[in-house]
Amino acid sequence: MAPKKSYSLETELVFSKSGDQYNASVPPLYQSATFKQDSLSNMGEYDYTRSGNPTRTHLQNHLAKIMKAKTTFAVSSGMGCLDVITRLLKPGDEVIAGDDLYGGTNRLLTYLHKKGDIIAKHYDTTNTELIKSKINSKTRMIFLESPTNPLIKVVDVKSIAHHAHQINPDVIVVFDNTMMSPVLMTPLDLGVDIQYESATKYLNGHHDIMAGVLATRSDKLAEQLYYVINSTGCGLSPFDCWLLSRGLRTLAIRVERQQQNCIKIAEFLKNVGFKVRYPGLKDHPQYELHSSMCRGYGAVLSFETGSVKLSERIVENTDIFGIAVSFGCVNSLISMPCKMSHASIDAKTRKERDFPEDLIRLCIGIENADDLIDDLTKALLRSGAVRVNERDELFNVIGLQPKL
Ligand SMILES: *Cc1c(COP(=O)(O)O)cnc(C)c1O
């Protein structure tokens, strides 16, 4: 059998050739802002870290393999990625975006729209035909994200990207892959032009740095993105590149374990009678679509309790689950989006978008699944959301269908 041309993702994540002069098994950290030239006329490969740094180059080459991109760029945050991308637009350019994008994405697009820099139009991206009908020759960029969180809406990326490029080959389809990570999804294979991710989440996985990663297969877009990054100075600092390289090596095993735990917790909550949103549950309305695009379901779920007060009590009664925003870290988190990550969206808009005020979001880590379920059970009992019946089974007391 002929040897394979490339390794699997799990192998690529841990395997790297540093090219280091001493063959260091860990890529060295070049914590230096400048690099000396041999002479006035002989400039080396690097001169100034804003423009390039060997630790950043190493990380970016590694990421390119993992994301199946030709070029990737590491910048200071996920929002930094979006800032770089939107700078490719000209005044008055029209963009189409989802109506359930990450709060920070919504904030930046709205800011640019209000300033009159761009015209941003938001639509329900789960309605593929609606989005297709809105794409026209004036559309310059399309911003997609899937699954969204915490509402877990899935977008038909392939069919929207294909349609957009048929209308206009130059339209730039941008995809935020933070929720799936390169382990579970390869958006560039689905026709996306620029993929970006908040590396603060799964890619780094330890909540000790902020970072963002941009990826593309187009040389032209890569050149334009690099121009902005070098001009604005948002390239990721060497130490953070080094930490991200370290986090990245365990990405596959972390996501695998987090997802395993999440599936168990989703089933548990569903069986107790809560309305659970998770793309890995067969009753999710877009289960098939999601499965056709991704290799898994991730580790973020949300559920409704039927009462805001009850949800507050549940959130405040867990021990292992920390009350915090963000996700993708090795430890589990619990939050109430309406009071935390999505508080910046006003109550009226939340209502229009059918955003349940009592929604609880769980971001699952790599702990022992039984410990996590015990922790949730304790919180559900303490809050009064569930009780134990004569047969020692949990049942839901809030009118949602108890299913034992
Ligand atoms: C966190 C997040 C971002 C922003 O990334 P930062 O690193 O926090 O700037 C963008 N998109 C999604 C889906 C996110 O979860």
Side-chain angles (χ1 to χ4, degrees), residues 77-79 102 105 145 149 176 178 196 198 200-201 210-211 327:
S77 70
M79 292 323 304
Y102 175 70
T105 308
E145 191 182 318
N149 94 82
D176 178 339
T178 308
Y196 73 97
S198 165
T200 314
K201 316 289 167 58
M210 304 277 310
F327 58 87

Side-chain angles (χ1 to χ4, degrees), residues 119-352:
I119 300 162
K121 296 180 174 170
H122 298 265
Y123 302 105
D124 177 359
T125 43
T126 59
N127 188 340
T128 309
E129 293 313 311
L130 172 75
I131 296 292
K132 283 185 179 171
S133 75
K134 298 295 179 188
I135 301 170
N136 59 44
S137 58
K138 284 202 216 136
T139 312
R140 284 283 150 282
M141 266 187 203
I142 302 176
F143 294 93
L144 303 174
E145 191 182 318
S146 185
T148 61
N149 94 82
L151 297 186
I152 318 290
K153 289 183 174 184
V154 178
V155 178
D156 188 343
V157 186
K158 199 170 176 177
S159 113
I160 293 172
H162 180 72
H163 181 80
H165 290 135
Q166 270 190 329
I167 302 262
N168 173 8
D170 290 333
V171 65
I172 302 172
V173 180
V174 179
F175 188 79
D176 178 339
N177 193 38
T178 308
M179 276 281 276
M180 285 294 107
S181 90
V183 175
L184 302 179
M185 189 173 187
T186 311
L188 294 174
D189 279 348
L190 302 175
V192 163
D193 299 292
I194 303 173
Q195 165 192 354
Y196 73 97
E197 287 183 31
S198 165
T200 314
K201 316 289 167 58
Y202 290 108
L203 290 180
N204 180 59
H206 294 77
H207 278 174
D208 48 13
I209 59 161
M210 304 277 310
V213 174
L214 292 141
T216 182
R217 288 177 185 169
S218 150
D219 288 336
K220 186 173 148 216
L221 287 174
E223 196 183 314
Q224 292 173 354
L225 294 171
Y226 175 73
Y227 190 86
V228 176
I229 293 165
N230 188 35
S231 305
T232 59
C234 63
L236 192 61
S237 74
F239 186 47
D240 287 353
C241 287
W242 188 85
L243 282 172
L244 179 51
S245 279
R246 182 169 71 166
L248 208 52
R249 276 171 232 144
T250 52
L251 178 68
I253 195 164
R254 280 189 279 111
V255 170
E256 189 182 321
R257 172 63 172 261
Q258 283 174 275
Q259 174 170 281
Q260 248 172 30
N261 284 352
C262 196
I263 291 169
K264 286 183 190 161
I265 290 167
E267 296 287 350
F268 162 75
L269 289 170
K270 202 179 116 183
N271 287 338
V272 180
F274 292 107
K275 182 176 171 203
V276 181
R277 293 172 203 242
Y278 181 60
L281 290 176
K282 292 212 170 65
D283 59 8
H284 185 282
Q286 295 172 296
Y287 174 81
E288 299 293 336
L289 174 61
H290 179 90
S291 307
S292 73
M293 299 187 296
C294 301
R295 294 176 287 274
Y297 309 101
V300 176
L301 67 76
S302 60
F303 68 103
E304 289 162 55
T305 66
S307 146
V308 173
K309 282 269 161 303
L310 208 51
S311 293
E312 286 172 0
R313 286 208 296 272
I314 295 170
V315 169
E316 288 177 345
N317 271 295
T318 52
D319 290 324
I320 303 174
F321 285 87
I323 306 176
V325 294
S326 197
F327 58 87
C329 189
V330 287
N331 56 301
S332 294
L333 303 174
I334 189 166
S335 67
M336 263 183 90
C338 283
K339 298 199 176 292
M340 300 166 68
S341 52
H342 290 64
S344 64
I345 304 173
D346 60 88
K348 186 170 151 277
T349 311
R350 289 202 300 258
K351 204 164 176 0
E352 278 165 14

